[in-house]
Amino acid sequence: MFLSSFLRASSLLFALALFHPAQASDSGSRSADTDAFRLHGDTRAVRPANCGIDRFEARFLELINRMRAVGASCGAYGNFGPASPVRWNARLTSAAHGHVAEMASTHHFHHTSSRTGMTVAQRIAAAGYEWGEYAENISAGGSSPEEIVARWHRSPRHCANLMNPYFTDVGAACMPAEQPIRYRTFWTMDLAGP
């Protein structure tokens, strides 16, 4: 099975890029005043989703936008010329945060929730983002945005996600594993365009 083989690969990475017509859903939100995440009735305390990394958001934006500014060769997915910069989006960050929290607690390394069955599209829509196209990159292990973006740059599918000129927004999250059985950290990045 492809996924099993891929998960055994040394650079444990997996990307998903699906392109669909926009589907809006407003069934979830992140409340800053209570610091709780509500998704289909699930309210739980939210651990910080930046792995304690200084300037987490700024570093991710700088790395991605530097890559987009010069273009990239993404192997089988083609060569991409320069693309407009993406901006940080709180709703995409909320979607990434919810998913990375689950991966950190369950070690279920996949784009579909093992608890709720929600897909990437459903999580992004539930966070209140009305998307036209989206992609998600996930990773396990690693200690810095620089390391993770470099991995994704070397992976053709992840690279193509980062370079997609349609995407205008990005959100990312990192969380330490609750029980570091195999991996100490988990990462999720959601990219989208309305």
Side-chain angles (χ1 to χ4, degrees), residues 16-91:
L16 176 68
L18 299 175
F19 304 100
H20 297 285
Q23 298 175 10
S25 172
D26 215 6
S27 60
S29 64
R30 186 180 187 299
S31 171
D33 56 338
T34 62
D35 200 33
F37 182 80
R38 178 178 294 281
L39 188 61
H40 298 290
D42 179 22
T43 303
R44 59 189 180 266
V46 177
R47 295 190 293 154
N50 64 6
C51 287
I53 296 169
D54 288 335
R55 300 181 52 248
F56 182 84
E57 174 184 324
R59 286 166 69 181
F60 261 111
L61 277 175
E62 179 183 335
L63 293 162
I64 296 164
N65 287 330
R66 186 180 324 144
M67 182 177 161
R68 289 172 66 90
V70 298
S73 176
C74 299
Y77 290 91
N79 295 315
F80 291 81
S84 297
V86 292
R87 62 186 175 250
W88 200 260
N89 183 279
R91 292 173 190 227

Coordinates of all heavy atoms in Angstrom, one line a residue, residues 16-91:
L16 N -1.2 16.5 0.7 CA -2.5 16.3 0.0 C -2.8 17.6 -0.7 O -2.8 18.6 0.0 CB -3.5 15.9 1.0 CG -4.9 15.7 0.5 CD1 -5.0 14.5 -0.4 CD2 -5.9 15.5 1.7
A17 N -3.1 17.6 -1.9 CA -3.6 18.8 -2.6 C -4.8 18.4 -3.4 O -4.8 17.7 -4.3 CB -2.5 19.3 -3.5
L18 N -6.0 18.9 -2.9 CA -7.2 18.6 -3.6 C -7.8 19.9 -4.1 O -7.7 21.0 -3.5 CB -8.2 18.0 -2.6 CG -7.8 16.7 -2.1 CD1 -8.8 16.2 -1.0 CD2 -7.6 15.6 -3.1
F19 N -8.4 19.9 -5.3 CA -8.9 21.1 -5.9 C -10.4 20.9 -6.1 O -10.8 20.0 -6.8 CB -8.2 21.5 -7.2 CG -6.7 21.6 -6.9 CD1 -5.8 20.5 -7.2 CD2 -6.2 22.7 -6.3 CE1 -4.5 20.6 -6.9 CE2 -4.8 22.8 -6.0 CZ -4.0 21.8 -6.3
H20 N -11.2 21.7 -5.5 CA -12.6 21.6 -5.5 C -13.3 23.0 -5.7 O -12.7 24.0 -5.2 CB -13.2 20.9 -4.3 CG -12.7 19.6 -4.0 ND1 -13.2 18.5 -4.7 CD2 -11.8 19.1 -3.2 CE1 -12.6 17.4 -4.3 NE2 -11.7 17.7 -3.4
P21 N -14.5 23.0 -6.1 CA -15.2 24.3 -6.1 C -15.4 24.7 -4.6 O -15.5 23.9 -3.7 CB -16.6 24.0 -6.7 CG -16.6 22.6 -7.1 CD -15.3 22.0 -6.7
A22 N -15.5 26.0 -4.4 CA -15.7 26.5 -3.0 C -16.9 25.9 -2.3 O -17.9 25.7 -2.9 CB -15.8 28.0 -3.0
Q23 N -16.7 25.5 -1.1 CA -17.8 25.0 -0.2 C -17.6 25.7 1.1 O -16.6 25.5 1.8 CB -17.7 23.5 0.0 CG -17.8 22.7 -1.3 CD -17.6 21.2 -1.0 OE1 -17.6 20.8 0.1 NE2 -17.5 20.5 -2.1
A24 N -18.6 26.5 1.5 CA -18.4 27.3 2.7 C -19.2 26.6 3.9 O -20.2 26.0 3.7 CB -19.0 28.7 2.6
S25 N -18.6 26.6 5.0 CA -19.2 26.1 6.2 C -18.7 26.9 7.4 O -17.6 27.3 7.5 CB -18.8 24.6 6.5 OG -19.3 24.2 7.7
D26 N -19.6 27.2 8.3 CA -19.3 28.1 9.4 C -19.5 27.4 10.7 O -20.0 28.0 11.7 CB -20.1 29.4 9.3 CG -19.3 30.6 9.8 OD1 -18.1 30.4 10.1 OD2 -19.9 31.7 9.9
S27 N -19.2 26.1 10.7 CA -19.6 25.3 11.9 C -18.5 25.3 13.0 O -18.7 24.6 14.0 CB -19.9 23.8 11.5 OG -18.7 23.3 10.8
G28 N -17.4 26.0 12.8 CA -16.4 26.0 13.9 C -15.7 27.3 14.0 O -15.7 28.1 13.0
S29 N -15.2 27.6 15.1 CA -14.4 28.8 15.3 C -13.5 28.7 16.5 O -13.6 27.9 17.3 CB -15.3 30.0 15.5 OG -16.1 29.8 16.7
R30 N -12.5 29.6 16.5 CA -11.5 29.6 17.6 C -11.8 30.9 18.4 O -11.9 32.0 17.8 CB -10.1 29.7 17.1 CG -9.1 29.6 18.2 CD -7.7 29.6 17.7 NE -6.7 29.3 18.7 CZ -6.5 30.0 19.8 NH1 -7.2 31.1 20.1 NH2 -5.5 29.7 20.6
S31 N -12.1 30.8 19.6 CA -12.4 32.0 20.5 C -11.2 32.4 21.2 O -10.7 31.7 22.1 CB -13.5 31.6 21.4 OG -13.7 32.6 22.4
A32 N -10.7 33.6 20.9 CA -9.5 34.1 21.5 C -9.7 34.4 23.0 O -8.9 34.3 23.8 CB -9.0 35.4 20.8
D33 N -11.0 34.9 23.4 CA -11.2 35.3 24.7 C -11.2 34.1 25.7 O -10.9 34.2 26.9 CB -12.4 36.1 24.9 CG -13.7 35.5 24.3 OD1 -13.5 34.5 23.5 OD2 -14.8 35.8 24.7
T34 N -11.6 32.9 25.2 CA -11.6 31.7 26.1 C -10.5 30.8 25.8 O -10.3 29.8 26.5 CB -12.9 30.9 25.9 OG1 -13.0 30.5 24.5 CG2 -14.1 31.7 26.2
D35 N -9.7 31.1 24.7 CA -8.6 30.2 24.3 C -9.0 28.8 24.2 O -8.4 27.8 24.6 CB -7.4 30.3 25.2 CG -6.1 29.9 24.4 OD1 -6.1 30.0 23.2 OD2 -5.2 29.3 25.1
A36 N -10.2 28.5 23.6 CA -10.7 27.2 23.4 C -11.0 27.0 21.9 O -11.3 28.0 21.2 CB -12.0 27.0 24.2
F37 N -11.0 25.8 21.5 CA -11.2 25.5 20.1 C -12.6 24.8 20.0 O -12.7 23.8 20.7 CB -10.1 24.7 19.5 CG -10.3 24.4 18.0 CD1 -9.9 25.3 17.1 CD2 -10.8 23.1 17.6 CE1 -10.1 25.0 15.7 CE2 -10.9 22.8 16.3 CZ -10.6 23.8 15.4
R38 N -13.5 25.3 19.3 CA -14.8 24.6 19.2 C -15.0 24.1 17.7 O -14.9 24.9 16.8 CB -15.9 25.6 19.5 CG -17.3 24.9 19.4 CD -18.4 25.9 19.8 NE -18.4 26.2 21.2 CZ -18.8 25.5 22.2 NH1 -19.4 24.3 21.9 NH2 -18.8 25.8 23.4
L39 N -15.2 22.8 17.6 CA -15.4 22.2 16.3 C -16.4 21.1 16.5 O -16.2 20.1 17.2 CB -14.0 21.6 15.8 CG -14.0 21.1 14.4 CD1 -14.3 22.2 13.4 CD2 -12.6 20.5 14.2
H40 N -17.6 21.3 15.9 CA -18.7 20.4 16.0 C -18.9 20.0 17.4 O -19.1 18.8 17.8 CB -18.4 19.1 15.1 CG -18.2 19.5 13.7 ND1 -19.3 19.9 12.9 CD2 -17.2 19.5 12.9 CE1 -18.9 20.1 11.7 NE2 -17.6 19.9 11.6
G41 N -19.0 21.0 18.3 CA -19.4 20.8 19.7 C -18.2 20.3 20.6 O -18.4 20.1 21.8
D42 N -17.0 20.1 20.0 CA -15.9 19.7 20.8 C -15.2 20.9 21.4 O -14.6 21.7 20.6 CB -14.9 18.9 20.0 CG -13.7 18.4 20.7 OD1 -13.8 18.3 22.0 OD2 -12.7 18.1 20.0
T43 N -15.1 21.1 22.7 CA -14.4 22.2 23.3 C -13.3 21.6 24.2 O -13.6 20.8 25.0 CB -15.4 23.1 24.1 OG1 -16.4 23.6 23.3 CG2 -14.6 24.3 24.7
R44 N -12.1 22.0 23.9 CA -11.0 21.5 24.7 C -10.0 22.6 24.9 O -9.9 23.5 24.1 CB -10.4 20.3 24.1 CG -9.8 20.5 22.7 CD -9.4 19.2 22.0 NE -8.9 19.5 20.7 CZ -9.6 19.5 19.6 NH1 -10.9 19.2 19.6 NH2 -9.0 19.7 18.4
A45 N -9.2 22.5 26.0 CA -8.2 23.5 26.1 C -7.2 23.4 25.0 O -6.9 22.3 24.5 CB -7.5 23.3 27.5
V46 N -6.7 24.5 24.6 CA -5.8 24.5 23.4 C -4.3 24.7 23.9 O -4.1 25.7 24.6 CB -6.2 25.6 22.4 CG1 -5.2 25.6 21.3 CG2 -7.6 25.3 21.9
R47 N -3.5 23.8 23.7 CA -2.1 24.0 24.0 C -1.5 24.9 22.9 O -1.9 24.8 21.7 CB -1.3 22.6 23.9 CG -1.8 21.7 25.0 CD -0.9 20.5 25.1 NE -1.0 19.6 23.9 CZ 0.0 18.8 23.5 NH1 1.1 18.8 24.1 NH2 -0.1 18.1 22.4
P48 N -0.5 25.7 23.2 CA 0.2 26.5 22.2 C 0.6 25.6 21.1 O 1.1 24.5 21.3 CB 1.4 27.1 22.9 CG 1.0 27.1 24.4 CD 0.1 25.8 24.5
A49 N 0.5 26.1 19.8 CA 0.8 25.2 18.7 C 2.0 25.8 17.9 O 2.0 25.9 16.7 CB -0.4 25.1 17.8
N50 N 3.0 26.2 18.6 CA 4.2 26.7 17.9 C 5.5 26.0 18.4 O 6.6 26.4 18.1 CB 4.3 28.2 18.1 CG 4.6 28.6 19.5 OD1 4.7 27.8 20.4 ND2 4.5 29.9 19.8
C51 N 5.4 24.9 19.2 CA 6.5 24.1 19.7 C 7.5 25.0 20.5 O 8.6 24.6 20.6 CB 7.2 23.4 18.5 SG 6.3 22.0 17.9
G52 N 7.0 26.1 21.0 CA 7.9 27.0 21.8 C 8.9 27.7 20.9 O 9.9 28.2 21.4
I53 N 8.7 27.8 19.6 CA 9.6 28.4 18.7 C 9.4 29.9 18.6 O 8.3 30.3 18.3 CB 9.5 27.7 17.3 CG1 9.9 26.2 17.4 CG2 10.3 28.4 16.2 CD1 9.5 25.4 16.2
D54 N 10.4 30.7 18.8 CA 10.4 32.1 18.7 C 10.0 32.5 17.3 O 10.5 31.9 16.3 CB 11.7 32.7 19.1 CG 12.0 32.7 20.6 OD1 11.0 32.6 21.4 OD2 13.2 32.7 21.0
R55 N 9.2 33.5 17.1 CA 8.9 34.1 15.8 C 8.3 33.0 14.8 O 8.6 33.0 13.7 CB 10.1 34.8 15.2 CG 10.6 36.0 16.1 CD 11.8 36.7 15.4 NE 11.5 37.1 14.0 CZ 12.1 36.6 13.0 NH1 13.1 35.7 13.1 NH2 11.8 37.0 11.8
F56 N 7.6 32.1 15.3 CA 7.1 30.9 14.6 C 6.4 31.4 13.3 O 6.8 31.0 12.2 CB 6.1 30.1 15.4 CG 5.5 28.9 14.8 CD1 6.2 27.7 14.8 CD2 4.3 29.0 14.2 CE1 5.7 26.6 14.2 CE2 3.7 27.8 13.6 CZ 4.5 26.6 13.6
E57 N 5.4 32.3 13.4 CA 4.7 32.8 12.2 C 5.6 33.5 11.3 O 5.6 33.2 10.1 CB 3.5 33.7 12.7 CG 2.8 34.4 11.7 CD 1.7 35.3 12.3 OE1 1.1 35.0 13.3 OE2 1.5 36.4 11.6
A58 N 6.4 34.4 11.8 CA 7.3 35.2 10.9 C 8.3 34.4 10.2 O 8.6 34.6 9.0 CB 8.0 36.3 11.8
R59 N 8.8 33.4 10.9 CA 9.8 32.5 10.2 C 9.2 31.7 9.1 O 9.8 31.6 8.0 CB 10.5 31.6 11.3 CG 11.5 32.4 12.1 CD 11.9 31.7 13.4 NE 12.7 30.5 13.1 CZ 13.2 29.7 14.1 NH1 12.9 30.0 15.4 NH2 13.9 28.7 13.8
F60 N 8.0 31.1 9.3 CA 7.3 30.4 8.3 C 7.0 31.3 7.1 O 7.3 30.9 5.9 CB 6.0 29.7 8.8 CG 6.2 28.3 9.1 CD1 6.1 27.9 10.4 CD2 6.4 27.3 8.1 CE1 6.3 26.5 10.8 CE2 6.6 26.0 8.4 CZ 6.5 25.6 9.8
L61 N 6.5 32.5 7.3 CA 6.1 33.4 6.2 C 7.4 33.8 5.5 O 7.4 33.8 4.2 CB 5.4 34.6 6.8 CG 4.0 34.5 7.0 CD1 3.4 35.8 7.6 CD2 3.2 34.2 5.7
E62 N 8.5 34.1 6.2 CA 9.7 34.5 5.5 C 10.2 33.3 4.6 O 10.6 33.6 3.4 CB 10.7 34.8 6.5 CG 12.1 35.2 5.9 CD 13.1 35.5 7.0 OE1 12.8 35.9 8.1 OE2 14.3 35.4 6.6
L63 N 10.2 32.1 5.1 CA 10.8 31.0 4.3 C 9.9 30.7 3.1 O 10.4 30.5 2.0 CB 10.8 29.7 5.2 CG 11.9 29.8 6.4 CD1 11.5 28.8 7.4 CD2 13.3 29.6 5.8
I64 N 8.6 30.6 3.3 CA 7.7 30.3 2.2 C 7.7 31.4 1.1 O 7.9 31.2 -0.1 CB 6.3 30.1 2.7 CG1 6.2 28.9 3.6 CG2 5.3 29.9 1.5 CD1 4.9 28.9 4.5
N65 N 7.6 32.7 1.6 CA 7.6 33.8 0.6 C 8.9 34.0 -0.1 O 9.0 34.4 -1.2 CB 7.1 35.0 1.3 CG 5.6 34.9 1.6 OD1 4.9 34.3 0.8 ND2 5.1 35.6 2.6
R66 N 10.0 33.7 0.6 CA 11.3 33.7 -0.1 C 11.4 32.7 -1.2 O 11.8 33.0 -2.3 CB 12.5 33.4 0.9 CG 13.9 33.6 0.3 CD 15.0 33.4 1.2 NE 14.8 33.8 2.6 CZ 15.2 33.1 3.7 NH1 15.9 32.0 3.5 NH2 15.0 33.5 4.9
M67 N 10.9 31.5 -1.0 CA 10.8 30.4 -2.0 C 9.9 30.8 -3.1 O 10.2 30.7 -4.3 CB 10.3 29.1 -1.3 CG 10.3 27.9 -2.2 SD 9.8 26.5 -1.2 CE 9.2 25.4 -2.5
R68 N 8.7 31.4 -2.8 CA 7.8 31.8 -3.8 C 8.3 33.0 -4.6 O 8.0 33.1 -5.8 CB 6.4 32.2 -3.1 CG 5.7 31.0 -2.6 CD 4.4 31.4 -1.8 NE 3.4 32.0 -2.6 CZ 2.4 31.3 -3.2 NH1 2.3 30.0 -3.1 NH2 1.5 32.0 -3.9
A69 N 9.1 33.8 -4.1 CA 9.6 35.0 -4.8 C 10.6 34.6 -5.9 O 10.7 35.3 -6.9 CB 10.4 35.9 -3.8
V70 N 11.3 33.5 -5.8 CA 12.3 33.1 -6.8 C 11.8 32.0 -7.7 O 12.4 31.7 -8.7 CB 13.6 32.7 -6.2 CG1 14.2 33.9 -5.5 CG2 13.5 31.5 -5.2
G71 N 10.7 31.3 -7.3 CA 10.3 30.1 -8.0 C 11.0 28.9 -7.6 O 12.0 28.9 -6.8
A72 N 10.5 27.7 -8.1 CA 11.2 26.5 -7.7 C 10.9 25.4 -8.7 O 9.9 25.4 -9.4 CB 10.6 26.0 -6.3
S73 N 11.8 24.4 -8.7 CA 11.6 23.2 -9.5 C 11.1 22.2 -8.6 O 11.7 21.8 -7.6 CB 13.0 22.8 -10.1 OG 12.8 21.6 -10.8
C74 N 9.9 21.6 -8.9 CA 9.3 20.7 -8.0 C 9.1 19.3 -8.6 O 8.1 18.7 -8.6 CB 7.9 21.2 -7.6 SG 7.9 22.8 -6.7
G75 N 10.2 18.9 -9.2 CA 10.3 17.5 -9.8 C 9.2 17.2 -10.7 O 8.9 18.0 -11.7
A76 N 8.5 16.1 -10.5 CA 7.4 15.6 -11.4 C 6.3 16.6 -11.5 O 5.5 16.5 -12.4 CB 7.0 14.3 -11.0
Y77 N 6.2 17.5 -10.5 CA 5.1 18.5 -10.5 C 5.4 19.7 -11.3 O 4.5 20.6 -11.4 CB 4.6 18.8 -9.1 CG 4.0 17.6 -8.4 CD1 4.7 16.7 -7.7 CD2 2.6 17.4 -8.6 CE1 4.1 15.5 -7.2 CE2 2.0 16.3 -8.0 CZ 2.8 15.3 -7.4 OH 2.2 14.2 -6.8
G78 N 6.6 19.8 -11.8 CA 6.9 20.9 -12.7 C 7.8 22.0 -12.1 O 8.1 22.0 -10.9
N79 N 8.1 23.0 -13.0 CA 8.8 24.2 -12.6 C 7.8 25.3 -12.4 O 6.9 25.5 -13.2 CB 9.8 24.5 -13.7 CG 10.9 23.5 -13.8 OD1 11.4 23.0 -12.8 ND2 11.2 23.1 -15.1
F80 N 8.0 26.0 -11.3 CA 7.1 27.1 -10.9 C 7.9 28.4 -11.0 O 9.0 28.5 -10.4 CB 6.5 26.9 -9.5 CG 5.5 25.8 -9.4 CD1 6.0 24.5 -9.3 CD2 4.2 26.0 -9.5 CE1 5.1 23.4 -9.2 CE2 3.3 24.9 -9.4 CZ 3.7 23.6 -9.3
G81 N 7.4 29.4 -11.7 CA 8.0 30.7 -11.7 C 7.6 31.4 -10.4 O 6.9 30.8 -9.5
P82 N 8.1 32.6 -10.2 CA 7.8 33.4 -9.0 C 6.3 33.5 -8.8 O 5.5 33.6 -9.7 CB 8.4 34.7 -9.2 CG 9.5 34.5 -10.2 CD 9.0 33.4 -11.1
A83 N 5.9 33.4 -7.5 CA 4.4 33.6 -7.2 C 4.3 34.7 -6.1 O 5.3 35.0 -5.4 CB 3.9 32.2 -6.6
S84 N 3.1 35.2 -6.0 CA 2.9 36.3 -5.1 C 3.0 35.7 -3.6 O 2.8 34.5 -3.4 CB 1.4 36.8 -5.2 OG 1.3 37.4 -6.5
P85 N 3.4 36.6 -2.7 CA 3.5 36.1 -1.3 C 2.2 35.7 -0.7 O 1.1 36.2 -1.2 CB 4.1 37.3 -0.6 CG 3.8 38.5 -1.4 CD 3.7 38.0 -2.8
V86 N 2.2 34.8 0.2 CA 1.1 34.4 1.0 C 1.1 35.2 2.3 O 2.1 35.7 2.7 CB 1.0 32.9 1.3 CG1 0.8 32.1 0.0 CG2 2.3 32.4 2.0
R87 N -0.1 35.3 2.9 CA -0.2 36.0 4.2 C -0.7 35.0 5.2 O -1.4 34.0 4.9 CB -1.1 37.2 4.0 CG -2.5 36.9 3.6 CD -3.4 38.1 3.4 NE -4.7 37.6 2.9 CZ -5.2 37.7 1.7 NH1 -4.5 38.3 0.7 NH2 -6.3 37.2 1.3
W88 N -0.4 35.3 6.4 CA -0.8 34.4 7.6 C -2.3 34.6 7.7 O -2.8 35.7 7.7 CB -0.1 34.8 8.8 CG -0.1 33.7 9.8 CD1 -0.9 33.6 10.9 CD2 0.7 32.6 9.9 NE1 -0.6 32.5 11.6 CE2 0.4 31.8 11.0 CE3 1.8 32.1 9.1 CZ2 1.0 30.6 11.4 CZ3 2.4 30.9 9.4 CH2 2.0 30.2 10.5
N89 N -3.0 33.4 8.0 CA -4.4 33.5 8.1 C -4.8 32.7 9.4 O -4.5 31.6 9.6 CB -5.1 32.8 6.9 CG -6.6 32.9 7.0 OD1 -7.2 32.0 7.6 ND2 -7.2 33.8 6.3
A90 N -5.5 33.4 10.3 CA -5.9 32.8 11.6 C -6.8 31.6 11.4 O -6.7 30.7 12.2 CB -6.6 33.9 12.4
R91 N -7.7 31.6 10.4 CA -8.6 30.5 10.3 C -7.9 29.2 9.8 O -8.2 28.1 10.3 CB -9.8 30.9 9.3 CG -10.7 31.9 9.9 CD -11.7 32.4 8.9 NE -12.4 33.6 9.5 CZ -13.7 33.7 9.5 NH1 -14.5 32.9 9.0 NH2 -14.2 34.8 10.1

